[in-house]
């Protein structure tokens, strides 16, 4: 184990691709994020919408997992899941979250902290209807985060849903839908040589955003 830890300590990349300055960023962090996401997509970064979602339960115990960003609107960042999943239970008890994206080809990170609200049913219906049929069947079949007996039980549930809805009309489960993270702070991170990274943080005061440079 000691040798392996030593090997990990030697693994490092020196970031040299770009720099970041306050004057070059959009005053609106949501617009700036959208620009960075578009660049990540054009650069063919692996899973550019994949983000770490961190939540905490009522006792403050943290949990994190990777989910996919499915929308950006004027209020914030939208993702979808089961309301009774582990993340859903956390958000019901403690409706705050943090998000992190890492786009390795661009040597960039973006971070968001904020409150969380449930997306309205019409938006959840529209997104669910846009998913491939198999994904809709899986969402209806899976009691997400619940302990199950085995894989066969899950596959039997899928078969049951497919029999019940043989056509393309698989309805959205009542306990499945969207959440929106409404940002109170947004940070943009650009890797720089010798770990002297650029970090610009936006913070919200009412409807106004201010920007500041942070030490790396």
């Amino acid at each position: 184990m000691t040798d392996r830890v030593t090997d990990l300590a030697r693994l490092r990349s020196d970031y040299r691709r770009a720099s970041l300055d306050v004057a070059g960023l959009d005053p609106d962090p949501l617009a700036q994020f959208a620009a960075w996401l578009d660049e990540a997509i054009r650069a063919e970064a692996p899973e550019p919408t994949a983000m770490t979602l961190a939540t905490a339960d009522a006792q403050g115990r943290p949990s994190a997992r990777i989910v996919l960003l499915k929308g950006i609107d004027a209020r914030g960042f939208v993702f979808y899941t089961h309301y009774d999943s582990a993340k859903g239970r956390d958000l019901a008890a403690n409706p705050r979250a943090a998000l992190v994206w890492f786009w390795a080809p661009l040597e960039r990170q973006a971070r968001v902290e904020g409150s969380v609200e449930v997306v309205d049913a019409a938006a959840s219906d529209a997104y669910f209807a846009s998913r491939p049929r198999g994904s809709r069947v899986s969402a209806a079949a899976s009691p997400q985060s619940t302990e199950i007996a085995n894989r066969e039980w899950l596959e039997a549930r899928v078969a049951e849903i497919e029999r019940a809805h043989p056509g393309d009309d698989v309805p959205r489960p009542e306990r499945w839908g969207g959440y929106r993270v409404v940002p109170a702070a947004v940070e943009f991170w650009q890797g720089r040589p010798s770990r002297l990274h650029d970090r610009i943080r936006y913070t919200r005061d009412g409807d106004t955003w201010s920007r500041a440079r942070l030490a790396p």
Side-chain angles (χ1 to χ4, degrees), residues 30-60:
L30 291 166
Q32 182 61 50
F33 178 89
W36 268 26
L37 178 58
D38 188 55
E39 287 186 54
I41 293 169
R42 293 200 309 269
E44 298 183 346
E47 293 286 2
T49 64
M51 60 189 186
T52 300
L53 165 67
T55 58
D57 65 13
Q59 287 72 48

Side-chain angles (χ1 to χ4, degrees), residues 7 28 31 33 42 51 65 69 88 120 122 127 187 197 202:
D7 290 342
D28 180 355
F33 178 89
R42 293 200 309 269
M51 60 189 186
R65 75 290 286 162
L69 176 69
D120 66 74
Y127 171 69
E187 182 183 322
H197 309 306
Y202 292 68

Side-chain angles (χ1 to χ4, degrees), residues 152-189:
E152 289 72 22
W153 182 92
L154 187 60
E155 291 172 348
R157 277 286 296 155
V158 167
E160 179 183 337
I161 298 297
E162 289 181 328
R163 286 193 301 272
H165 303 283
D168 194 52
D169 184 22
V170 181
R172 176 176 68 90
E174 182 180 356
R175 298 296 297 166
W176 188 100
Y179 291 96
R180 179 183 293 106
V181 179
V182 181
V186 182
E187 182 183 322
F188 297 93
W189 179 102

Side-chain angles (χ1 to χ4, degrees), residues 32-109:
Q32 182 61 50
F33 178 89
W36 268 26
L37 178 58
D38 188 55
E39 287 186 54
I41 293 169
R42 293 200 309 269
E44 298 183 346
E47 293 286 2
T49 64
M51 60 189 186
T52 300
L53 165 67
T55 58
D57 65 13
Q59 287 72 48
R61 293 172 296 200
S63 182
R65 75 290 286 162
I66 303 295
V67 301
L68 299 181
L69 176 69
K70 289 301 179 181
I72 310 169
D73 59 27
R75 286 191 54 77
F77 303 85
V78 177
F79 66 94
Y80 292 85
T81 189
H82 282 268
Y83 297 140
D84 297 324
S85 65
K87 66 183 86 64
R89 294 194 299 270
D90 280 359
L91 293 171
N94 185 3
R96 297 191 62 81
L99 307 172
V100 183
W101 295 260
F102 179 55
W103 299 300
L106 299 177
E107 301 173 353
R108 286 175 174 171
Q109 292 184 63

